[in-house]
Amino acid sequence: MLLPRHGRRFSMDDCIFCKIVKGDIPSIKIYEDEHVFAFMDINPVSEGHALIIPKLHAENLWEISEASLSAVHTASKTIVRAMKKAMGPVSVAAIQLNGKGVNQIVMHYHLHLIPRASDGEALKLTAWEMIPGDMDAINRTGAAIAAAVENDYDQKERK
Ligand code: AMP
Ligand code: ZN
């Protein structure tokens, strides 16, 4: 789908990750298969920070096809195995952002693989403080989401 952006229509020709897949702009490729391309992030949060993307353009988790989604996440297992071999023992944060509101910068689905070596610095982005929430509010919001899920199922069944 074409989306308006900066006052003109967005084309996939403008997408930096589509350009990486086509080889129009350079990347440090680490893996490729029929559906997936993976390369090193050039602003790494930690040593080894890599990105996996579907070759077919999709903006986010809500738009990506099941085939692409499954291929990206299956490839992540191969890549993490390779990271472990190449870098030694690592734990890996697999992180994925959906929408500008949560800081998605490149609007082409991508899974970040952010390793932390066993002797490496803690990853700030995964070390959030556990602060007990307001249980009334958690209950209310949980109930609202669960009701909307039910409603969604009902509507699908009626179709
Ligand atoms: P986000 O959209 O916030 O999940 O993050 C986009 C990520 O893409 C950032 O971590 C960038 O460093 C990375 N990035 C943007 N352009 C390139 C590029 N040309 N090559 C490698 N990584 C990139
Ligand atoms: Zn794209």
Side-chain angles (χ1 to χ4, degrees):
M1 196 177 86
L2 299 176
L3 301 166
R5 200 190 208 196
H6 307 308
R8 67 185 178 84
R9 291 181 82 72
F10 173 70
S11 148
M12 277 179 279
D13 295 340
D14 297 329
C15 173
I16 185 168
F17 284 179
C18 283
K19 285 184 184 162
I20 284 180
V21 170
K22 281 193 271 173
D24 290 348
I25 62 171
S27 68
I28 301 165
K29 181 171 99 171
I30 57 172
Y31 174 88
E32 182 175 11
D33 66 28
E34 191 189 343
H35 299 291
V36 169
F37 194 90
F39 54 102
M40 301 303 284
D41 196 304
I42 52 170
N43 302 292
V45 170
S46 68
E47 186 187 348
H49 183 172
L51 302 171
I52 316 181
I53 64 177
K55 287 186 170 174
L56 271 183
H57 181 91
E59 190 166 311
N60 55 37
L61 183 56
W62 331 129
E63 292 185 4
I64 190 171
S65 71
E66 287 184 12
S68 287
L69 184 63
S70 157
V72 165
H73 285 258
T74 302
S76 77
K77 295 182 175 210
T78 304
I79 294 166
V80 167
R81 262 199 313 276
M83 279 176 170
K84 289 182 183 198
K85 275 192 193 146
M87 301 175 58
V90 289
S91 305
V92 180
I95 292 177
Q96 192 269 316
L97 307 176
N98 298 283
K100 293 193 167 82
V102 292
N103 261 349
Q104 183 180 0
I105 294 165
V106 179
M107 306 314 276
H108 178 131
Y109 183 96
H110 51 282
L111 182 65
H112 292 261
L113 292 179
I114 306 178
R116 179 194 175 187
S118 40
D119 59 352
E121 223 178 290
L123 300 178
K124 286 193 190 78
L125 75 170
T126 61
W128 60 77
E129 198 183 343
M130 293 278 201
I131 301 171
D134 170 344
M135 286 314 295
D136 287 341
I138 294 170
N139 265 310
R140 260 196 318 276
T141 309
I145 296 170
V149 170
E150 280 301 314
N151 194 269
D152 213 41
Y153 279 138
D154 288 351
Q155 280 178 0
K156 274 193 191 134
E157 268 164 30
R158 258 184 261 131
K159 274 185 192 162

